[in-house]
Amino acid sequence: MSPPLESCPALVLNADFRPLSYFPLSLWSWQESIKAVFLDRVNIVSHYEHVVRSPSFEMQLPSVIALKEYVASARRPAFTRFNVFLRDRFCCQYCGSAFPTHELTFDHVVPRSKGGRTSWTNVVTACSCCNLTKGSFMPRECGMFPLTTPFQPTAFQLQENGRAFPPGFLHASWRDFLYWDSELDAT
Ligand SMILES: [Zn+2]
């Protein structure tokens, strides 16, 4: 029994055979995949049992395709909670411990009350406990300095960090993906 075509997307790999993107996972509809095959833009890596037919051709639906030409990810990663946590590998930047995502929050290194901005270079992942302890102190006032100076990551750095986690771990984080993926208010 064949699944409906709509539930047969293809995973799109870059020319280096890594997913084109992890967040969200790069998936193309079966129509897009077939079009790319006909335009000779992709190699078929794997396919479904499902066969599509027209009067002039028949082919098994691709389930994994790889781009023939490498696409550099030049796009700057979005400034979202998920990406901040991913940059910091889901570890509190004050105590260094890893926490399940629902126990993580983020901290302004220079507190907002002291003019700190909500930006890549002033926001770090923190556990609730450290976040509470730091409160609205400057780092030197409470002796709490982030383990890594916050920075604007590249898409590549995030991808690399993502690869360190089992898919299930990240998948669990996708349950509230809309929440994760809403851009932080960069003020
Ligand atoms: Zn902590």
Side-chain angles (χ1 to χ4, degrees), residues 93-155:
Q93 290 301 295
Y94 293 111
C95 66
S97 306
F99 288 90
T101 50
H102 65 269
E103 290 177 30
L104 287 174
T105 178
F106 63 90
D107 179 71
H108 289 77
V109 178
V110 174
R112 266 184 297 189
S113 60
K114 296 184 174 149
R117 297 174 70 94
T118 305
S119 69
W120 278 116
T121 53
N122 191 48
V123 163
V124 295
T125 304
C127 69
S128 316
C129 183
C130 289
N131 188 243
L132 206 63
T133 308
K134 184 163 175 300
S136 55
F137 290 115
M138 294 291 278
R140 64 174 184 281
E141 291 174 328
C142 56
M144 293 174 75
F145 296 88
L147 298 172
T148 306
T149 305
F151 60 97
Q152 154 91 59
T154 63

Side-chain angles (χ1 to χ4, degrees), residues 13 26 28 45 87 100 161 172:
L13 307 178
S26 42
W28 286 356
V45 179
R87 179 196 66 185
N161 285 359

